[in-house]
Amino acid sequence: MTTETLLIKKKQTEKSRLHEVDFNNLGFGRIMSDHMFIADYRDGQWQNLRIVPYGDLSLSPATAALHYGQAIFEGMKAYKNNEGDTLLFRATDNWKRLNKSAERLCMPAVPEEVFMNGLTELVRLDSAWVPSQDGSALYIRPFMFSTDPYVGVKPSDTYTFIIFTGPVGAYFAKPPRVKIETQFIRSAEGGVGGAKCAGNYAGSLYPAKLAQEEGYDQLIWTDAHEHAYIEESGAMNVMFVLDDGTLLTPAVSDTTLDGITRKTILAIARHWGIPVEERRISVQEIISALKEGRLESAFGAGTAAVVSHISTIGYERLDYTLPDVKEDSFAKKVKEYLIEIYTGKTEDLFGWTLKV
């Protein structure tokens, strides 16, 4: 299949829901745009590519994904620039990471032309759904799941790939309070921690619920063996800024997700001449830095929240409050710079954005 032979059938909705949306009160993840892109994997190839009105799916109760968890996804955003154009950010990186997840879960790769053409055609069709209000964006959810109507533990022979979108506001209403988790784990070596698969998130819900009952918003996950080393924060990568200006973040391994926002922030930091350390980080190192006043800031980095300043870190029943974010702090400056790139307000020196 090539771009020249790629045919995407389109069926537009007869009644748009756009007029029902209050773009000044979007929330996150509850409003969906008018259309979705769908492709089916049958007989060893992707086929029946189409854009149809957003709506429910019809599935067999025996659908393999519902029983054995062959399901992966990505998260992306689109923004409006001042001229009204729609901009995508590092979309091919999401495509590559989707296929990395697919390989780990014995799923077929999605060809670049299917992913990118389906994505751009869908976003172009629903471009009116891309909000222009500060702090808002069009969230994009590509995902794939197994569809064999077969109750047996084996890789499915059939799959469905879908992309849908929806306008969103801020992910966190305020800087989150996080707890360092020392009992439950997100993943272990040799597992699927490096894949963006549904089961990773299902397994995180119970420990996150317990933390929320204690007054926290998210967890900081630690290693599976000793709970002595920091890995991720909830659904985000985590970063720390020391008082000497060093940006510190856990190295990517097969137990952590290779975040696209994370890679972007590290590239910007190095471009600005900020010292960067990607390495193993012990919990005690961070707690000591907090006690001694050497931790300038901590933040989560991810597509949904972009940069989310952490207000409090809880560990062993003690809370450590981080300093207020200063105007000239790296975390604040990099978030503002990222949003300027997303929205085309500053030159994209890295070639990350794509005009749709």
Side-chain angles (χ1 to χ4, degrees):
M1 184 182 293
T2 65
T3 303
E4 289 75 20
T5 61
L6 196 68
L7 174 64
I8 300 177
K9 299 175 184 177
K10 295 179 186 176
K11 179 183 178 183
Q12 290 190 229
T13 183
E14 296 179 359
K15 186 178 181 181
S16 173
R17 293 172 283 103
L18 186 62
H19 67 280
E20 301 171 6
V21 179
D22 180 358
F23 280 90
N24 293 311
N25 294 284
L26 288 172
F28 196 98
R30 296 189 179 277
I31 302 170
M32 309 308 169
S33 307
D34 280 333
H35 299 92
M36 58 185 180
F37 169 78
I38 305 177
D40 299 316
Y41 186 82
R42 304 285 185 273
D43 302 320
Q45 63 180 347
W46 289 100
Q47 54 190 274
N48 194 18
L49 279 56
R50 60 209 186 271
I51 291 176
V52 298
Y54 179 88
D56 295 342
L57 304 174
S58 177
L59 298 173
S60 163
T63 296
L66 302 178
H67 301 272
Y68 306 115
Q70 266 189 299
I72 59 175
F73 67 94
E74 279 295 315
M76 317 166 57
K77 283 181 177 175
Y79 295 81
K80 285 282 192 201
N81 64 15
N82 288 336
E83 290 73 41
D85 300 313
T86 300
L87 302 178
L88 295 171
F89 184 77
R90 300 193 74 161
T92 56
D93 288 280
N94 288 99
W95 162 68
K96 291 174 183 176
R97 192 172 65 180
L98 181 89
N99 282 341
K100 179 182 176 182
S101 298
E103 181 179 13
R104 180 63 182 84
L105 270 73
C106 283
M107 304 171 82
V110 177
E112 182 176 6
E113 61 268 20
V114 172
F115 185 98
M116 291 302 299
N117 284 42
L119 171 65
T120 53
E121 287 297 310
L122 177 66
V123 172
R124 189 175 292 122
L125 181 61
D126 279 342
S127 62
W129 286 82
V130 184
S132 56
Q133 289 81 355
D134 289 344
S136 61
L138 185 75
Y139 188 77
I140 302 168
R141 172 52 58 92
F143 70 106
M144 190 206 309
F145 61 96
S146 56
T147 55
D148 275 7
Y150 170 75
V151 182
V153 183
K154 74 174 190 64
S156 180
D157 293 319
T158 61
Y159 297 85
T160 295
F161 173 63
I162 299 177
I163 306 175
F164 67 84
T165 71
V168 296
Y171 191 74
F172 290 114
K174 57 182 176 57
R177 291 166 45 84
V178 302
K179 174 191 173 184
I180 295 176
E181 179 58 53
T182 57
Q183 178 182 357
F184 299 97
I185 65 169
R186 176 185 172 272
S187 62
E189 288 86 351
V192 293
K196 201 167 177 67
C197 60
N200 286 344
Y201 296 82
S204 73
L205 296 178
Y206 180 66
K209 174 179 176 288
L210 296 180
Q212 288 159 7
E213 290 171 355
E214 296 178 32
Y216 299 99
D217 302 297
Q218 285 276 12
L219 294 171
I220 289 182
W221 296 105
T222 52
D223 69 285
H225 295 293
E226 306 172 75
H227 292 295
Y229 296 92
I230 287 172
E231 296 203 328
E232 292 187 4
S233 179
M236 304 178 290
N237 295 115
V238 64
M239 297 187 172
F240 305 94
V241 180
L242 303 179
D243 60 355
D244 64 359
T246 301
L247 177 62
L248 188 59
T249 192
V252 169
S253 68
D254 67 351
T255 64
T256 58
L257 192 67
D258 188 8
I260 293 167
T261 305
R262 174 190 181 277
K263 291 193 293 189
T264 301
I265 291 172
L266 295 181
I268 293 171
R270 292 185 171 107
H271 177 71
W272 287 351
I274 304 290
V276 173
E277 294 183 14
E278 297 180 74
R279 59 172 173 82
R280 213 175 187 200
I281 304 170
S282 73
V283 172
Q284 287 304 322
E285 178 181 359
I286 296 303
I287 297 302
S288 295
L290 282 164
K291 289 179 177 178
E292 296 164 11
R294 294 185 290 106
L295 190 63
E296 178 187 296
S297 65
F299 59 92
T303 298
V306 186
V307 171
S308 182
H309 306 287
I310 293 171
S311 66
T312 303
I313 295 177
Y315 179 62
E316 293 186 340
R317 300 187 180 279
L318 291 176
D319 285 347
Y320 299 89
T321 302
L322 279 86
D324 292 335
V325 179
K326 298 178 181 178
E327 286 297 316
D328 63 347
S329 72
F330 171 78
K332 184 175 177 59
K333 289 194 295 185
V334 78
K335 182 175 184 177
E336 292 173 348
Y337 183 63
L338 266 174
I339 291 172
E340 287 182 352
I341 293 176
Y342 292 160
T343 56
K345 294 176 181 176
T346 193
E347 182 183 1
D348 176 12
L349 302 174
F350 306 90
W352 287 328
T353 54
L354 172 67
K355 186 186 297 184
V356 176

